[in-house]
Amino acid sequence: MGIAVVYQSQTGSTKKVAEAILGELPEGSVLAPMDLCDTLEGYDFAFVGFPLHAFGPDEIAKGFLSNVAAGHCIALFVTHASPESDGAPLQEWLQACREAAAGSDVIGMFDCRGQLAEPVKKQLLASDDPQLRAWAEADDSEGQPDAERLQKAAEWARQMMSLIGPH
Ligand SMILES: Cc1cc2nc3c(=O)[nH]c(=O)nc-3n(C[C@H](O)[C@H](O)[C@H](O)COP(=O)(O)O)c2cc1C
């Protein structure tokens, strides 16, 4: 039995966080892209990470949480383009992520900023929706997650490991 870090990452930000977490785990722990992981049966604990898409988990993560992670002990990590200080709206979206994992025993959750990928930003800037355009214009997420955020992810992973006990 071991520990898995299962992640979904369309443009690389969540993958960076996944790698920072893996760096804190015992030898033999596994890093697995979510679309290639169809069971958690071989593991006694999993870190499960994905990006926020349209105010909740992306579609692949939704399916994984309800079909594969249900019934397992997990910790969630999420990246988003919004600043962590965004307050109520962001907290609601993160709550939607927790709810999507309601079938699992979730012992903790970490979130941090990732980068809004350039093609996505371009699409939003060309959108007919003035709110989406304004959001893209205000975006300053380039370079995220930065070293400080990756360090925080690593610290959080150590905390989670102390909660689940010796491995
Ligand atoms: C289709 C789409 C929808 C998104 N919706 C949100 C959102 O609702 N809130 C937010 O803060 N970021 C949103 N983002 C930004 C991503 O969550 C952010 O860039 C994330 O770090 C990307 O992770 P990845 O590189 O691992 O795919 C969205 C990105 C995409 C592509």
Side-chain angles (χ1 to χ4, degrees):
M1 297 290 268
I3 298 169
V5 183
V6 184
Y7 69 93
Q8 158 61 14
S9 185
Q10 194 177 309
T11 57
S13 290
T14 315
K15 186 176 183 194
K16 285 185 187 166
V17 178
E19 287 167 346
I21 291 169
L22 184 75
E24 300 301 317
L25 304 186
E27 217 170 297
S29 301
V30 171
L31 184 67
M34 201 172 268
D35 53 352
L36 298 181
C37 178
D38 54 13
T39 180
L40 289 179
E41 288 312 325
Y43 304 100
D44 48 6
F45 186 73
F47 290 86
V48 177
F50 47 87
L52 259 184
H53 275 187
F55 324 128
D58 76 282
E59 289 303 319
I60 293 177
K62 264 188 216 159
F64 183 86
L65 289 170
S66 55
N67 299 325
V68 182
H72 290 273
C73 187
I74 64 172
L76 293 176
F77 60 101
V78 178
T79 69
H80 44 80
S82 309
E84 290 89 349
S85 58
D86 257 11
L90 177 61
Q91 291 312 314
E92 277 169 28
W93 307 341
L94 294 172
Q95 182 57 27
C97 297
R98 272 189 212 99
E99 282 164 16
S104 303
D105 176 12
V106 181
I107 66 160
M109 180 165 171
F110 173 83
D111 74 279
C112 72
R113 247 186 142 180
Q115 179 168 334
L116 187 64
E118 214 40 57
V120 182
K121 193 165 172 171
K122 274 196 186 135
Q123 263 181 355
L124 293 177
L125 287 171
S127 158
D128 290 336
D129 181 336
Q131 260 184 320
L132 284 179
R133 279 205 308 274
W135 195 65
E137 273 159 17
D139 173 67
D140 61 352
S141 64
E142 196 179 345
Q144 300 295 352
D146 60 10
E148 193 185 328
R149 285 172 172 82
L150 294 176
Q151 184 57 37
K152 279 191 180 155
E155 276 164 28
W156 171 77
R158 286 201 293 276
Q159 261 176 36
M160 294 300 103
M161 292 303 293
S162 68
L163 286 180
I164 64 170
H167 267 81

